[in-house]
Amino acid sequence: MNFKVAIIGRPNVGKSTLFNRLIGKRLALVDDTPGVTRDRREGMASLGDLTFMVIDTAGLEEAFDDSMEARMRTQTNRAVDEADVALLLIDARSGLTPLDSHFAGWLRSRGKPTILVANKCEGRAAAHSFYEAFSLGLGEPVAISAEHGEGMADLYAALLPFAHAAESDDSSAQTDGETDILDPTDDKSDDPTLQLAIVGRPNVGKSTLVNQLLGEDRMLTGPEAGITRDSISIAWSFKGRPIRLIDTAGLRRKAKVSEKLESLSVNDTLRAIRFAHCVVLLLDASAPMEKQDLAIAGMVVEEGRALVLAVNKWDVPQDRDAVLRAVRDRLETSLPQVKGLPVVPMSALTGNGVPRLLPAVLRTYDVWNRRIPTGNLNRWLAEATERHPPPMVRGRRLRLRYMTQVKARPPTFVIFANVPEELPESYVRYLTNGLRETFDLPGVPLRVKTRRGRNPYTKA
């Protein structure tokens, strides 16, 4: 049963709350502030035995100029065009407004099948507004409470005819994937989808880059900083390779984040980083590798994700070679633990250099997944310790007996030693750099751990 349902309505009527209720997860940001949602978000919903694609949209407002509200309305129009049925959500507590009546007429004029849904009907105070909703001319409203899950059986009954109509089309729907996020550190997963997050400071062009990659105006863009609030996941493919693109909100310095809504957006971005396989850190060519950029890069490396740097707005600087040298020098001094990070100059607005980004991402992703045979590792370990033996500890030589790779994503190695706790951090860095150079592991975090080997002369 593959059909699409768009949730529309004026701001602050509970659209994102209903979206979260239907997909069974709190993915969309919810706050009392009107206009939290700006981009349309898609997810696979489940209601009884019905499964369908649901689209959360920005609040409808009467705007047709170049303002952000007008751009948000354009995104909502596209969601309605894609959907098989629209849920017009009204707030039964506050009663009907002229805006509700206007958009009910707008939906009728478009000929889109519409189900009128009266939200926040958990109390008797909403009874008057519920009956008032009949005047919209969209039939009997479905009374629900998205917050408390009341009225879902009635909503199921209203959607059932559209499910039956969709049964004749047995082509599989392409899911957004936000409800099926896998553990990125699981290197035994059979899911071939690459989860790619686009992160960076506000107003560096993350949403513009996503639109350029998709070839359509999927994300809301504009000159205003901080337009994106939710982390939006979009199913896509590159040369037959399934990719889940995740556009995120801009990350400012923690000290500057004071509003609750921005704090929610930041947490959503951090969650996207944790669940990503590969992260593209977008820099502004006019001010590359600032302190916040380094903080974001360090966070990505600490999480163990594959990282690619993209220098956006490459058409702005006059001396491009100087900018590139400055970026590489800053990386060498501030992020030596991921030596060899790929850096891709590009312009998301014009598309120049963008075709080089995905090949760099896939190369880094392959390195992030690489496994090295144990025999090769131990031959290398013997050569490395012979070339530079471990230091003496209390008159005893540290012995590194054995080495193996325990997992990929990121490549993680364990070295068995007689006194592992005494191995200096400087020697671990020496081994890590040797691993990176010998086995060609550029630009990904490597984890080298030490463990005490079992003594064969003692009883187990």
Side-chain angles (χ1 to χ4, degrees):
M1 288 175 283
N2 301 314
F3 63 103
K4 280 190 175 184
V5 177
I7 305 173
I8 65 172
R10 59 183 174 84
N12 214 33
V13 294
K15 297 182 295 299
S16 294
T17 304
L18 178 57
F19 175 86
N20 289 341
R21 171 69 60 182
L22 291 174
I23 66 171
K25 292 187 178 182
R26 295 179 64 87
L27 289 183
L29 295 185
V30 176
D31 192 72
D32 292 335
T33 307
V36 171
T37 302
R38 288 174 174 173
D39 292 290
R40 68 185 192 271
R41 179 196 284 274
E42 300 179 356
M44 286 306 295
S46 176
L47 189 59
D49 58 352
L50 299 183
T51 55
F52 52 91
M53 181 75 75
V54 62
I55 310 173
D56 185 23
T57 64
L60 278 169
E61 296 195 47
E62 193 68 3
F64 299 95
D65 51 11
D66 293 330
S67 65
M68 186 185 300
E69 289 75 15
R71 282 176 269 145
M72 289 161 60
R73 177 177 174 135
T74 300
Q75 292 285 328
T76 301
N77 289 350
R78 290 176 181 166
V80 172
D81 291 339
E82 292 177 8
D84 298 295
V85 56
L87 300 183
L88 177 59
L89 212 62
I90 63 171
D91 186 341
R93 274 194 226 152
S94 61
L96 284 184
T97 67
L99 209 53
D100 292 324
S101 302
H102 172 79
F103 289 119
W106 173 73
L107 281 170
R108 285 198 304 270
S109 68
R110 294 175 75 95
K112 179 64 63 176
T114 303
I115 298 172
L116 180 61
V117 180
N119 191 26
K120 308 179 185 179
C121 283
E122 61 271 16
R124 292 185 177 181
H128 173 73
S129 299
F130 172 76
Y131 291 111
E132 189 182 15
F134 281 89
S135 65
L136 294 178
L138 293 174
E140 182 177 354
V142 178
I144 71 165
S145 171
E147 180 69 27
H148 300 94
E150 298 176 10
M152 293 297 111
D154 294 333
L155 184 58
Y156 169 91
L159 289 172
L160 195 57
F162 299 96
H164 291 158
E167 285 180 350
S168 58
D169 182 13
D170 52 9
S171 60
S172 61
Q174 185 182 36
T175 65
D176 168 83
E178 290 192 72
T179 59
D180 190 27
I181 293 179
L182 302 177
D183 181 0
T185 63
D186 182 11
D187 54 351
K188 297 181 178 61
S189 173
D190 294 329
D191 187 1
T193 304
L194 190 161
Q195 295 172 176
L196 176 62
I198 314 293
V199 303
R201 290 180 285 123
N203 213 30
V204 294
K206 298 180 294 297
S207 296
T208 304
L209 175 58
V210 171
N211 288 343
Q212 185 68 239
L213 291 172
L214 297 175
E216 61 172 298
D217 290 335
R218 173 63 177 80
M219 304 302 301
L220 192 67
T221 61
E224 304 91 347
I227 290 179
T228 302
R229 285 174 171 166
D230 293 81
S231 293
I232 305 295
S233 175
I234 305 162
W236 182 57
S237 65
F238 175 73
K239 296 183 178 179
R241 179 75 171 268
I243 295 177
R244 187 176 293 120
L245 275 178
I246 308 171
D247 185 25
T248 63
L251 290 172
R252 295 199 299 165
R253 288 171 54 193
K254 192 173 182 180
K256 293 186 176 181
V257 179
S258 56
E259 296 182 2
K260 176 189 173 185
L261 190 53
E262 185 176 1
S263 179
L264 292 172
S265 297
V266 168
N267 290 335
D268 208 25
T269 299
L270 298 181
R271 175 184 175 276
I273 292 174
R274 284 194 294 270
F275 282 97
H277 294 139
C278 189
V279 175
V280 172
L281 174 56
L282 206 59
L283 311 176
D284 190 331
S286 58
M289 290 313 292
E290 292 190 346
K291 187 175 181 180
Q292 179 63 4
D293 295 322
L294 288 171
I296 297 171
M299 186 191 316
V300 173
V301 172
E302 184 68 23
E303 289 289 342
R305 303 295 166 255
L307 178 62
V308 174
L309 297 185
V311 186
N312 192 27
K313 307 179 184 179
W314 196 239
D315 46 350
V316 173
Q318 299 294 325
D319 192 347
R320 298 177 180 178
D321 291 338
V323 172
L324 211 51
R325 280 196 304 272
V327 170
R328 296 191 187 280
D329 290 345
R330 194 75 188 272
L331 288 174
E332 190 172 337
T333 56
S334 302
L335 285 173
Q337 66 270 37
V338 281
K339 188 177 180 180
L341 270 178
V343 180
V344 181
M346 48 163 276
S347 171
L349 188 61
T350 64
N352 291 334
V354 173
R356 294 195 296 268
L357 180 61
L358 264 297
V361 166
L362 295 177
R363 285 194 300 270
T364 305
Y365 178 73
D366 290 340
V367 174
W368 190 64
N369 280 278
R370 187 171 299 167
R371 282 189 169 273
I372 302 170
T374 300
N376 294 354
L377 285 173
N378 283 284
R379 282 189 290 272
W380 169 81
L381 181 63
E383 294 173 2
T385 53
E386 183 177 351
R387 186 166 52 249
H388 183 184
M392 301 281 286
V393 177
R394 292 191 294 273
R396 295 178 57 193
R397 174 72 65 185
L398 283 172
R399 298 187 183 278
L400 307 184
R401 295 193 172 101
Y402 181 77
M403 181 179 188
T404 186
Q405 182 177 357
V406 293
K407 65 184 290 293
R409 313 174 81 165
T412 304
F413 306 89
V414 170
I415 299 175
F416 294 89
N418 60 339
V419 193
E421 62 274 8
E422 298 290 348
L423 192 65
E425 186 64 32
S426 58
Y427 197 80
V428 175
R429 284 198 301 270
Y430 158 71
L431 295 175
T432 303
N433 292 334
L435 274 172
R436 192 183 301 280
E437 293 173 7
T438 304
F439 296 105
D440 191 24
L441 299 169
V444 298
L446 301 183
R447 291 174 175 169
V448 178
K449 303 177 181 179
T450 56
R451 193 176 298 172
R452 185 181 295 276
R454 188 177 66 86
N455 189 336
Y457 298 102
T458 60
K459 291 184 180 180

